[in-house]
Amino acid sequence: MTQIQVGPPPPRSYARLWVSTLLLIVYASFVLLVTMWPQPEQLEFDSIAGRVLRALHNIGVPQWFGYDKLEFTANIGMFVPLGFLLGLALARSTWWVAIFLLPAFSGAIEFTQGIALDERVSTVLDVLSNTIGGYLGLLLAMILRAMIHARDRTKIERELWERRAAAAELQRQNAARAQAAASSYPASPPASARIAEPDPVTRVLDADFWETGDAPTVRLPL
């Protein structure tokens, strides 16, 4: 039986891991900078929020959508990229770790704001909005990875099918050539009709050889 040498597996690509991890570190640093800045008025959040609210109200957003709801929505949007990048950086078998990391990260931020930053306000509502945004980003990452996995699996199955079809076609062509070559030559006698001559060495070693007329007249001592 012929043994097929499989050889070492091909090297894995870590491009997704390195790129997503790098972007995750950069964006997490940005979130920490925004949320941990000791004097939020320097970031001009109020003026930016006021301009955004005026723009939203001008395009038809109801007036009841005020600063608090805008802040809640902004907290959701801020954590969507964080959950998305975390979902890409984690392995497929450990994606569930993000379910605990995202609220823990937001809770650590709010806890630090409450005990160390007097100019900041720490609320459970911020943890809730951040967690919702992180879960939305995580869901998007899982959907994207599932789509890429299904596409790669389809491409691999298509490649294997094409190789099997090519091998079957080559086998059919070889069988046709062998049949054509056999029809151009006379058929050889069957194996049962062939008389196999015994090997001389085997005949000498056979005890019956010395009882026949082919044996020598003088038997040499062993």
Side-chain angles (χ1 to χ4, degrees):
M1 182 179 179
T2 304
Q3 295 183 353
I4 301 176
Q5 299 295 332
V6 178
R12 297 183 60 183
S13 175
Y14 293 96
R16 173 191 58 83
L17 176 62
W18 288 111
V19 172
S20 58
T21 302
L22 178 61
L23 294 177
L24 177 63
I25 294 174
V26 172
Y27 190 78
S29 301
F30 168 75
V31 172
L32 290 175
L33 178 64
V34 172
T35 56
M36 295 298 180
W37 194 262
Q39 296 178 350
E41 65 274 4
Q42 295 180 352
L43 301 176
E44 300 182 354
F45 285 148
D46 293 338
S47 60
I48 296 175
R51 290 194 295 269
V52 172
L53 281 175
R54 286 193 297 269
L56 292 176
H57 294 159
N58 290 333
I59 62 176
V61 176
Q63 293 294 327
W64 57 261
F65 189 86
Y67 180 82
D68 294 338
K69 295 179 176 58
L70 177 63
E71 183 182 9
F72 186 84
T73 306
N75 288 333
I76 292 177
M78 183 174 60
F79 263 65
V80 169
L82 191 67
F84 180 79
L85 294 174
L86 184 59
L88 294 182
L90 292 175
R92 188 172 57 183
S93 59
T94 59
W95 67 269
W96 55 269
V97 178
I99 298 178
F100 304 97
L101 288 180
L102 291 169
F105 183 67
S106 177
I109 291 176
E110 296 298 321
F111 179 77
T112 305
Q113 287 179 348
I115 65 173
L117 302 176
D118 296 333
E119 299 294 331
R120 292 283 185 171
V121 178
S122 177
T123 63
V124 180
L125 194 62
D126 290 343
V127 178
L128 177 62
S129 60
N130 292 338
T131 303
I132 293 174
Y135 285 171
L136 289 176
L138 179 63
L139 179 62
L140 293 176
M142 292 298 101
I143 293 175
L144 178 63
R145 294 182 66 171
M147 293 173 60
I148 294 176
H149 179 72
R151 183 206 62 182
D152 293 343
R153 187 178 183 88
T154 302
K155 292 178 63 176
I156 292 174
E157 291 178 351
R158 180 68 183 181
E159 180 69 20
L160 293 176
W161 179 85
E162 291 178 354
R163 292 187 180 185
R164 287 193 296 266
E169 178 64 20
L170 181 60
Q171 184 178 7
R172 186 191 64 81
Q173 294 177 2
N174 291 337
R177 294 192 189 99
Q179 184 177 4
S183 61
S184 61
Y185 293 98
S188 58
S192 58
R194 301 172 187 172
I195 301 176
E197 293 292 337
D199 186 11
V201 178
T202 305
R203 292 187 61 197
V204 172
L205 295 178
D206 190 1
D208 296 336
F209 173 74
W210 299 98
E211 304 298 332
T212 63
D214 297 332
T217 56
V218 179
R219 185 172 183 177
L220 298 178
L222 297 178

